[in-house]
Amino acid sequence: RKLVVAAAVVIVIISALAATRMGSEFIPTLDEGDVAIHTSRIPDTGLTQTIELQSLVEKNLLQSFPQVAMVFGKVGTSEIATEPHPPGTGENAIILKPRSEWPDPDLPKADLVKQIEEEVKKIPGSNSEFSQPIRMRFNHLLAGVFSDVAVKVFGDDMEDERKEEARV
């Protein structure tokens, strides 16, 4: 009888410890080898200005980073409008060279992404999110946002509520 009770207590403790880890990631993040940037600009940004800014980003990254093999992107909505975006948004894919061709092959990719982020921040009027191409696409398809962490707020529009109270 004591053995059964002791075994049950151990199982409950192990189950309780396992339950505290539920919902956490068990699969490590995979390195796709490339970098994706989603850029948002103020809503009044015109298509011509957005194209100029995207071209400036691409040119700066190619000139500033010898690790970058190619940069390409898109602005606004694609021909198949499954993901409608205003003209002020853009996406870039940064194709990196093999590590053997980097000036410092031991440089962690995360550090390179931070350096790229600092370079992109120099261009005014843009807000950029960095990820990996496939990961960014899946985040957008699953949650409707490009980043890994987002806060969605649902509920009544408080401005409408205040207007209603003012009328009463």
Side-chain angles (χ1 to χ4, degrees):
R1 195 180 274 180
K2 290 180 184 179
L3 182 62
V4 172
V5 171
V9 168
V10 169
I11 290 172
V12 167
I13 290 171
I14 290 173
S15 298
L17 290 174
T20 61
R21 298 211 16 101
M22 288 181 71
S24 65
E25 269 187 45
F26 294 106
I27 300 173
T29 302
L30 299 175
D31 183 12
E32 296 176 28
D34 298 319
V35 180
I37 305 173
H38 176 77
T39 306
S40 301
R41 295 178 181 86
I42 58 174
D44 291 343
T45 306
L47 184 59
T48 305
Q49 187 177 17
T50 301
I51 292 171
E52 289 173 5
L53 291 171
Q54 286 292 106
S55 298
L56 183 63
V57 168
E58 293 173 9
K59 186 171 45 171
N60 285 356
L61 293 178
L62 283 170
Q63 291 175 351
S64 302
F65 297 97
Q67 299 91 337
V68 175
M70 180 179 13
V71 181
F72 62 91
K74 75 174 187 78
V75 172
T77 302
S78 62
E79 290 179 16
I80 302 170
T82 56
E83 300 175 14
H85 297 289
T89 63
E91 292 181 23
N92 286 96
I94 302 172
I95 308 301
L96 300 175
K97 294 178 181 176
R99 280 194 178 266
S100 61
E101 297 179 25
W102 288 19
D104 180 10
D106 297 327
L107 178 71
K109 184 180 170 193
D111 292 347
L112 176 63
V113 171
K114 285 180 185 174
Q115 292 173 9
I116 291 172
E117 187 174 353
E118 290 301 316
E119 183 67 28
V120 171
K121 280 184 181 178
K122 292 178 184 176
I123 298 172
S126 299
N127 183 20
S128 301
E129 298 177 48
F130 290 79
S131 186
Q132 301 181 88
I134 298 171
R135 183 178 190 159
M136 182 180 285
R137 186 68 47 226
F138 269 96
N139 284 346
H140 189 246
L141 291 173
L142 294 174
V145 293
F146 289 96
S147 62
D148 291 332
V149 178
V151 176
K152 289 186 175 185
V153 179
F154 297 96
D156 296 335
D157 185 356
M158 294 308 290
E159 289 300 320
D160 286 344
E161 295 293 327
R162 288 188 192 116
K163 289 176 189 173
E164 193 66 37
E165 288 176 8
R167 277 189 252 160
V168 173

